[in-house]
Amino acid sequence: MNVKNFVVESIDEMRNKVTWPKYASLQNSAVLVLVASLIFALVIGLIDLSFESLMKWFYDLF
């Protein structure tokens, strides 16, 4: 298989065989990923802050 044949078949597959999502669906998915990422970042941040406070308290005992 040469490069030209590969490119032609790839373009044909992208145009005719791939099912592309509608813009509204894509936008909803992007918002969902953004919100989930923010929630995940907040949870990890709270865990980190708690662990830092716990370690500071533990080291202050000695």
Side-chain angles (χ1 to χ4, degrees), residues 57-62:
W57 171 78
F58 181 74
Y59 286 133
D60 285 341
L61 289 176
F62 298 105

Side-chain angles (χ1 to χ4, degrees), residues 28 35 50-51 53 58:
N28 288 337
V35 169
S50 301
F51 188 71
S53 299
F58 181 74

Side-chain angles (χ1 to χ4, degrees), residues 4 14 19-21 33 40 44 48 50 52:
K4 181 182 176 192
M14 294 297 263
T19 304
W20 297 99
V33 168
F40 187 70
I44 296 296
D48 183 51
S50 301
E52 179 185 3

Side-chain angles (χ1 to χ4, degrees), residues 18-61:
V18 174
T19 304
W20 297 99
K22 301 292 181 200
Y23 182 74
S25 174
L26 193 62
Q27 195 171 21
N28 288 337
S29 296
V31 169
L32 179 66
V33 168
L34 181 63
V35 169
S37 297
L38 288 173
I39 291 171
F40 187 70
L42 286 172
V43 168
I44 296 296
L46 288 172
I47 291 170
D48 183 51
L49 185 63
S50 301
F51 188 71
E52 179 185 3
S53 299
L54 180 67
M55 294 307 290
K56 185 180 267 189
W57 171 78
F58 181 74
Y59 286 133
D60 285 341
L61 289 176

